[in-house]
Amino acid sequence: MTKGSDLFVAALENEGVDRIFGVPGEENLDVVESLRKSRIKLILTRHEQAAAFMAATHGRLTGKPGVCISTLGPGALNLSTGAAYAHLGAMPMIMLTGQKAIKTAKQARFQIVDVIASMRPLTKMARQIISAASIPAIVRDAFRVAMEERPGPVHLELPEDVAGEEIDDVPLVPPHPIELPVAPPAALDRAAEMICKAQRPLVMLGAGSSRPKLVEPLSSFIRRTRIPFFNTQMGKGSVTGGSNLYMGTAALSSGDYVHRAVDHADLIISIGHDTVEKPPFIMGPDGPKVIHVGFTAASVEQVYFPHAEVVGDVGPSLALLADRIEGKLRIDPVFTGLRSEITGRIRDRADEERFPPTPQRIVRDVRKVMPEDGIVCLDNGMYKIWFARNYRTHVANTLLLDNALATMGAGLPSAMMASMLYPKRRVLAVCGDGGFMMNSQEMETAVRLGLNLVVLILEDSAYGMIRWKQAVDGFPDWGLCFGNPDFVKYAESYGAIGHRVKHTDDLVPTMEGAFKDTGVHLITVPIDYVENTRVLVEELRGRVPEIA
Ligand SMILES: Cc1ncc(C[n+]2csc(CCOP(=O)(O)OP(=O)(O)O)c2C)c(N)n1
Ligand SMILES: [Mg+2]
């Protein structure tokens, strides 16, 4: 005989799960007891949202779903932003929520909301488990659905009577590897012909190219074909090695220096682009032709309507495409000139001494203290554009940002997950003073778990990005400033170590010292956002000359 919750936890072990994040409620107590007897660690968080961000980041970084747990109603609803984060960001995740018993209703409708219905639009699949015997099959299916392209979250609701149900043993379903079909020869031939005919091809690496398994195949494609490339915000770092073909990152949709390369191209090979990202460039009737290379077909949008597609497992498909075009391309020399201009532009003002420091200087200083494999996890705010534009990455998934749901509050939890997965690598969370405070309670979790982690807070006492947009749109400066706690004392109250940067030159040594030490460090630094308007509006609107 076995119990539903034991079977559920055994099914998680069968999938290789080693941790589960969340806040249990009384409806999960059978599961908690089954976890106690298992190899899986229960990691309590101080808010379910953070648990979901952590589980999603596990999926993002490993390709294997992270798992989070909550109670019914209020706890389950607290997972919903994390569900949307994983859904838009294509991160595999399993959410397990409790529910009152379904065969009896001893508490009438107390705490009951239709969680399945609320999760349906935020997940790939949302199911209630109605019998213990179905658990092995449902859990296996949930992991399959979460992992398969396009990956994303799956929600399972386990009512407490099903969790406590005693049944005869049911065998688990063993997982097995699944290979995806490779793009058909006709599609590869057509794409190869278009690329060979083009005069000025350019590769764009999108969010999908950051899948952990694509690190090698993408780098090999660029190495073999020597086609210059740029990336979207979430495609950053997917080509390893300090490639001299990198043209920049599209943090804006148009008008940035990198768009000079886009405008110069007559063909864009768009690898793994996912239109959940803010458009990296806007397709129009007169622009370059576009070939979409992806695990799945391109969604057709007003701003993205590829002329040809190579659909299939991206790694092997790219190898077959490279076989067809390697050695046949002449790379337009204009790209080389553009490249030095674009990379030169993004170094502007990175050396400035003024205090508070400019975003460019902060990005440069962070790059200085982060080794190539160090991981920077951003929350959402104005600085995200600066990091996306200016922070050079050399290793895949070393700048984790969310350009899909673009939610505030994920910076700290995603960094905590990265630090747990890669304890030997430096991990830095970069947060605005707004976004940090949306999940700052997880400082306690980070300290309790004994993580080594540095959190950098950029203080402008405002929702700076919205304040910037307000100014760009010509509205008066109103309503978007707030006060902050004393962040040093705040960190200390959690048992973390707090630092305040008072001179621009102190930023590098403060970060370096924090990384050399162990434990959770919080560093607060004011930021001078005058550069937002000076560069991202005035300079780009006025000074970008036309291509000759
Ligand atoms: C959960 C959530 N609420 C609101 C927004 C809208 N929003 C985007 S950026 C931003 C301001 C961020 O402020 P802060 O974290 O201080 O960063 P800053 O822009 O000041 O550097 C807001 C309110 C959002 N993206 N996510
Ligand atoms: Mg701010």
Side-chain angles (χ1 to χ4, degrees), residues 380-383 406-408 432-436 438 460 462-466 482 529:
N380 254 275
M382 193 63 216
Y383 52 88
T407 180
M408 293 163 76
D433 43 8
F436 173 71
M438 288 201 179
D460 65 341
Y463 291 122
M465 178 150 200
I466 311 304
F482 47 66
Y529 270 152

Side-chain angles (χ1 to χ4, degrees), residues 35-349:
L35 284 170
R36 186 181 70 81
K37 295 182 292 185
S38 79
R39 293 193 306 271
I40 301 175
K41 271 198 206 126
L42 171 63
I43 297 181
L44 289 188
T45 57
R46 307 306 301 269
H47 194 292
E48 292 86 350
Q49 187 184 92
F53 288 152
M54 289 165 83
T57 304
H58 183 285
R60 177 182 196 172
L61 287 174
T62 66
K64 299 203 175 113
V67 185
C68 53
I69 184 169
S70 82
T71 188
L72 74 176
L77 293 172
N78 273 351
L79 291 176
S80 56
T81 304
Y85 173 77
H87 199 39
L88 268 64
M91 307 175 197
M93 166 166 82
I94 306 289
M95 294 175 289
L96 170 66
T97 65
Q99 188 52 282
K100 300 278 183 215
I102 47 176
K103 288 181 207 147
T104 58
K106 290 187 183 148
Q107 292 186 329
R109 295 194 190 175
F110 177 60
Q111 285 194 303
I112 292 184
V113 290
D114 189 345
V115 176
I116 302 280
S118 78
M119 285 292 182
R120 200 157 275 141
L122 306 175
T123 54
K124 290 180 78 179
M125 179 170 100
R127 282 182 76 171
Q128 185 181 61
I129 301 176
I130 53 165
S131 80
S134 63
I135 286 174
I138 289 183
V139 172
R140 178 78 277 273
D141 200 43
F143 275 77
R144 179 189 68 78
V145 170
M147 273 188 287
E148 80 185 4
E149 288 290 339
R150 175 180 184 274
V154 168
H155 168 234
L156 297 177
E157 181 179 77
L158 184 63
E160 61 180 336
D161 51 353
V162 181
E165 189 186 350
E166 296 279 351
I167 54 161
D168 287 338
D169 241 337
V170 185
L172 299 173
V173 184
H176 55 78
I178 301 179
E179 281 78 29
L180 289 176
V182 178
L188 291 161
D189 290 344
R190 191 181 310 120
E193 198 189 326
M194 284 172 76
I195 298 169
C196 290
K197 272 198 194 142
Q199 304 293 310
R200 300 174 304 278
L202 180 66
V203 164
M204 181 181 85
L205 302 170
S209 57
S210 293
R211 301 278 195 273
K213 69 173 185 175
L214 286 186
V215 171
E216 215 305 299
L218 276 177
S219 303
S220 149
F221 181 76
I222 299 292
R223 225 175 19 243
R224 288 179 65 192
T225 62
R226 309 290 308 151
I227 305 175
F229 70 94
F230 72 111
N231 30 45
T232 68
Q233 295 192 35
M234 290 176 85
K236 226 174 148 69
S238 39
V239 165
T240 50
S243 168
N244 58 357
L245 295 164
Y246 169 72
M247 303 294 299
T249 300
L252 307 175
S253 295
S254 60
D256 203 347
Y257 293 106
V258 71
H259 294 102
R260 298 184 57 175
V262 176
D263 295 341
H264 183 63
D266 63 348
L267 175 74
I268 293 181
I269 305 152
S270 158
I271 303 176
H273 181 45
D274 192 327
T275 54
V276 290
E277 281 207 82
K278 189 185 279 185
F281 71 102
I282 309 277
M283 275 184 79
D286 304 325
K289 291 250 177 301
V290 173
I291 301 175
H292 173 87
V293 181
F295 292 103
T296 52
S299 55
V300 179
E301 308 286 344
Q302 243 177 298
V303 294
Y304 190 68
F305 44 90
H307 303 90
E309 306 204 22
V310 174
V311 179
D313 196 355
V314 171
S317 301
L318 283 178
L320 292 173
L321 189 57
D323 290 344
R324 286 164 165 81
I325 61 178
E326 187 175 6
K328 295 190 186 155
L329 306 177
R330 193 189 70 91
I331 298 311
D332 187 287
V334 172
F335 281 124
T336 319
L338 277 177
R339 180 179 182 275
S340 43
E341 192 181 335
I342 295 165
T343 46
R345 287 289 186 179
I346 62 177
R347 278 195 297 269
D348 271 358
R349 302 207 175 203

Side-chain angles (χ1 to χ4, degrees), residues 443-454:
M443 291 289 283
E444 188 281 318
T445 312
V447 170
R448 172 165 34 91
L449 294 175
L451 301 183
N452 294 325
L453 179 67
V454 180

Side-chain angles (χ1 to χ4, degrees), residues 418-449:
S419 160
M420 267 180 257
L421 285 169
Y422 306 108
K424 297 220 162 71
R425 290 162 69 174
R426 286 189 175 182
V427 178
L428 177 75
V430 179
C431 306
D433 43 8
F436 173 71
M437 290 300 282
M438 288 201 179
N439 270 318
S440 64
Q441 75 286 345
E442 301 307 329
M443 291 289 283
E444 188 281 318
T445 312
V447 170
R448 172 165 34 91
L449 294 175

